[in-house]
Amino acid sequence: MPTEIPTGNRAVLDAWTRALKLTATIDAQPHRLLADVIEAIAVDRSEAPALLSDDVTLSYRALAQRINSISRWALAQNIQKGDVVGLLMPNQPDYLAIWLGLTRIGAVVALLNDQLPETALAHCLAIVAPSHLIAAAELYPTAQACRARNNFAFSLWVHGGPVADAPRLDTSITQLCGSPLTAAERRPVDVSDRALCIYTSGTTGLPKAANVSHRRILTWSLWFAGLMDVRPDDRMYDCLPMHHSVGGIVAIGPLLASGGSVVLRPRFSAREFWDDVTRFDCTLFQYIGELCRYLLNQPPSAAETRHRLRICCGNGLRAEVWTAFQRRFAIPQILEFYAASEGSFSLVNLEGKPGAIGRVPSFLRHRFPAEIVRFDAAREQPLRDDRDFCVRCAANEPGEAIGRLGDDAGVTSRFEGYSSREETERKILRDVFVKGDAWFRTGDLMRRDDDGFFYFVDRIGDTFRWKGENVSAAEVTDVLDACLGVLEAIVYGVTIPGSEGRAGMAALVVSSAFDLADFATAINHRLPGFARPLFLRLSHSIATTATYKPRKQDLQAAGFDPAGDDPIFIYDRQRAGYTRLDQAGFDRIQRGEAML
């Protein structure tokens, strides 16, 4: 039965209507995969560019042929349905062709972060146990060493250049036919089958491998194609890592499902961004909030308003950056959304409300059942009432966002889990409002206003307790970011011997306009004592994950020890300001002799 859409804001309703109509086709054609969609488009738009980069351009015909050649290579290697193949490559057009070709015949592709050190790579490989690993030529030595040291049994293939004694995928597929697969070559693969393993960022622990089905890939692709009204003359600028769900599917799938084009860049460059966008004549840009802040911190450029961008789509754009970014760079529409690779629901802000991560309109709540429940920060668990049920938050009251699981929920409300059953179970909250119900835990604290818009508050684990009070790292970060001369601020909690909870610490990247005394004065006026960072670290830069999330785990491990290269400061309550922490002061804190 079709969803009834009420009247209201016509542009917003049209966007929802398009998204619903497109995604309704998925289960009606359960054997149609994204590779099949691309092949069908290639019939009419054979020479139109599908994927572009500075080095390579693949037309729709060339992309479809490459996908088919990869499928035939997999069949020749006797790769079976359900076998896992690891893919370790930087952004490039062949990256997409490889996983589309492999998944089309039933293989599961683990998308590996090409920036991982060997120990982290070994962990990611161990949890999915691949039978084959495809590595870019420049990454082959790391993959080979990882295989030897950990006694992995996978077959190792190189792509993109000669490596001594290594079998080459790129030369092998040139010998294979690129015509459509015959009925005898096709495997019984449908949308419910697992296609990819996409790893969580690992900012608060080791990465987990989230299962992603063909249904989820098509849902993301068609949903955003509808929301953005993607057309064949659209071009998406994608500088996000293709091993992640946003850069690898959300930025690419909607365009390829609509006959448009995607411009791939190996990585983000704030200095070259606007020249690239204008040079490739892009109409769409996929962002992560931090990228927008980096662009705002750049000096003015003649190219920054010459573009033809009509929509910037992404997540994590803070309210204080949103308005300035949209005004300075003349962006007609910002489409902010909230989702996760393994998540059971999504939120979309089609109205352009600064700071809101989205909402679920009333006519779609049965498809995206989401709630916010009260949360106990000390136990890092939702609160239960005297009947042992969770308690819904009131309007603007922060709590953990959860999404209902079950057959009565919509197609995107499925939780496909991780490669580990134990990790999967940890994300499920049971007996929430009634006995027997099950909900997906996002791990994110949010609030919802009276109009139904959701706002991100903090990541669970980033909220810490100090002096008997809960401190939101995200809220403190917003205050620090607004201080003169602060280019980047990361807030986290650190442990102190003999003290309960965690003390606030901030890592700052600052400009020449930064003054420590003025900074202290500003935060004294804007933050209560318990929320004021006790320690400061002044850094030239802050290490991030491939998706530009700060590596808080590394900062927390380093703590406030002044022995490193970065200067450390401690808040002096008598002076109401910060003073340099030396080794003697650090030792007194470690011995429990300092009053903090």
Side-chain angles (χ1 to χ4, degrees):
M1 183 175 179
T3 300
E4 182 180 351
I5 301 177
T7 58
N9 183 316
R10 177 45 55 189
V12 170
L13 293 175
D14 285 347
W16 286 117
T17 303
R18 287 190 301 267
L20 290 166
K21 286 182 177 178
L22 287 172
T23 53
T25 65
I26 294 172
D27 285 320
Q29 303 177 68
H31 296 289
R32 185 188 67 154
L33 312 179
L34 180 57
D36 300 308
V37 175
I38 292 169
E39 190 165 78
I41 291 175
V43 173
D44 296 323
R45 293 182 55 78
S46 61
E47 299 308 315
L51 301 173
L52 304 95
S53 70
D54 280 327
D55 300 321
V56 176
T57 294
L58 289 181
S59 67
Y60 271 90
R61 179 174 65 179
L63 177 58
Q65 290 175 342
R66 193 74 57 93
I67 292 169
N68 290 327
S69 295
I70 293 291
S71 294
R72 290 192 168 94
W73 172 84
L75 292 171
Q77 300 307 310
N78 198 31
I79 294 174
Q80 299 296 309
K81 182 177 179 180
D83 285 354
V84 176
V85 179
L87 183 57
L88 183 66
M89 291 170 57
N91 285 12
Q92 56 184 279
D94 267 356
Y95 188 99
L96 186 75
I98 289 170
W99 75 248
L100 282 170
L102 288 167
T103 59
R104 195 180 198 183
I105 57 93
V108 178
V109 181
L111 305 183
L112 298 157
N113 182 347
D114 61 303
Q115 301 296 313
L116 288 178
E118 188 181 316
T119 52
L121 176 60
H123 163 78
C124 290
L125 290 169
I127 60 177
V128 296
S131 62
H132 292 71
L133 175 62
I134 300 166
E138 65 271 24
L139 297 170
Y140 188 88
T142 300
Q144 189 178 42
C146 184
R147 180 177 64 170
R149 289 193 182 97
N150 295 277
N151 296 316
F152 289 130
F154 54 73
S155 299
L156 184 53
W157 291 75
V158 68
H159 181 279
V163 175
D165 302 322
R168 287 184 63 177
L169 173 67
D170 50 341
T171 55
S172 295
I173 62 175
T174 60
Q175 312 301 318
L176 299 171
C177 178
S179 63
L181 299 183
T182 65
E185 291 174 307
R186 296 295 294 256
R187 295 265 181 81
V189 181
D190 65 39
V191 294
S192 63
D193 289 318
R194 183 170 62 143
L196 300 173
C197 287
I198 296 181
Y199 294 84
T200 59
S201 61
T203 53
T204 57
L206 291 171
K208 298 187 289 290
N211 298 323
V212 176
S213 68
H214 287 282
R215 176 185 282 107
R216 188 166 287 241
I217 291 168
L218 277 170
T219 297
W220 289 341
S221 300
L222 298 175
W223 186 250
F224 281 97
L227 293 179
M228 294 188 292
D229 193 16
V230 179
R231 300 167 187 176
D233 60 349
D234 275 317
R235 283 191 176 184
M236 170 69 79
Y237 185 76
D238 182 13
C239 57
L240 299 175
M242 292 177 70
H243 61 259
H244 191 263
S245 55
V246 174
I249 301 175
V250 175
I252 296 174
L255 278 295
L256 297 186
S258 308
S261 309
V262 182
V263 176
L264 298 172
R265 183 183 170 91
R267 60 187 57 84
F268 169 71
S269 168
R271 183 172 57 85
E272 299 174 8
F273 178 85
W274 293 112
D275 287 334
D276 276 354
V277 167
T278 54
R279 177 164 58 95
F280 283 102
D281 196 25
C282 295
T283 58
L284 306 169
F285 162 48
Q286 192 77 37
Y287 68 80
I288 295 290
E290 286 300 282
L291 302 192
C292 300
R293 187 173 58 79
Y294 293 157
L295 290 170
L296 269 181
N297 287 335
Q298 289 294 300
S301 159
E304 67 185 32
T305 55
R306 290 180 186 164
H307 59 79
R308 282 204 313 126
L309 290 176
R310 63 181 184 85
I311 295 178
C312 289
C313 175
N315 52 58
L317 187 56
R318 296 181 187 171
E320 67 273 13
V321 175
W322 182 311
T323 303
F325 178 81
Q326 188 168 22
R327 181 186 300 118
R328 172 177 166 179
F329 300 120
I331 308 297
Q333 182 183 356
I334 291 176
L335 196 164
E336 173 83 1
F337 69 90
Y338 170 87
S341 299
E342 71 277 37
S344 68
F345 70 94
S346 62
L347 304 166
V348 184
N349 180 357
L350 284 167
E351 291 82 355
K353 190 170 186 177
I357 61 175
R359 70 185 184 100
V360 181
S362 58
F363 57 89
L364 283 179
R365 284 176 191 158
H366 66 290
R367 290 192 59 172
F368 302 100
E371 292 289 350
I372 300 176
V373 294
R374 290 180 179 172
F375 185 75
D376 183 344
R379 294 174 54 249
E380 294 196 348
Q381 291 289 329
L383 285 168
R384 300 272 182 170
D385 61 18
D386 54 6
R387 298 180 302 159
D388 204 30
F389 291 134
C390 295
V391 181
R392 290 179 174 87
C393 288
N396 291 307
E397 179 184 7
E400 183 175 4
I402 59 175
R404 195 177 78 239
L405 305 175
D407 294 337
D408 58 334
V411 64
T412 53
S413 296
R414 294 179 173 94
F415 173 42
E416 296 173 348
Y418 303 103
S419 59
S420 163
R421 183 172 297 179
E422 181 182 354
E423 294 287 359
T424 298
E425 188 59 32
R426 281 184 190 152
K427 293 292 283 186
I428 299 176
L429 191 64
R430 301 188 184 279
D431 300 331
V432 177
F433 300 118
V434 295
K435 286 293 182 183
D437 67 347
W439 294 68
F440 171 78
R441 292 191 63 186
T442 64
D444 290 326
L445 299 178
M446 302 183 191
R447 65 177 178 86
R448 179 169 44 196
D449 67 16
D450 291 325
D451 295 323
F453 284 94
F454 286 68
Y455 297 80
F456 180 80
V457 174
D458 217 345
R459 182 75 184 158
I460 289 173
D462 286 347
T463 292
F464 51 91
R465 196 164 180 82
W466 180 244
K467 303 289 187 183
E469 300 282 354
N470 294 330
V471 181
S472 166
E475 291 179 1
V476 176
T477 299
D478 288 344
V479 172
L480 304 192
D481 275 340
C483 294
L484 181 65
V486 174
L487 299 177
E488 188 171 1
I490 309 299
V491 177
Y492 48 98
V494 292
T495 57
I496 298 176
S499 297
E500 289 187 12
R502 289 182 290 157
M505 184 166 182
L508 303 179
V509 177
V510 299
S511 71
S512 58
F514 180 78
D515 180 87
L516 193 59
D518 291 343
F519 172 81
T521 299
I523 66 171
N524 285 341
H525 283 110
R526 298 190 60 188
L527 289 172
F530 67 84
R532 187 186 306 124
L534 183 60
F535 302 102
L536 296 180
R537 173 186 294 274
L538 298 188
S539 301
H540 293 294
S541 63
I542 294 172
T544 63
T545 68
T547 53
Y548 304 96
K549 296 176 182 176
R551 295 189 177 276
K552 285 193 179 184
Q553 199 172 28
D554 296 344
L555 290 169
Q556 287 174 320
F560 52 94
D561 189 339
D565 295 332
D566 295 336
I568 306 294
F569 296 85
I570 185 171
Y571 188 81
D572 185 326
R573 284 182 294 178
Q574 290 184 333
R575 299 181 182 179
Y578 289 93
T579 59
R580 184 78 177 261
L581 180 66
D582 57 17
Q583 192 63 46
F586 174 77
D587 292 341
R588 285 195 299 274
I589 295 171
Q590 294 299 102
R591 294 193 298 266
E593 297 172 358
M595 294 293 293
L596 300 174

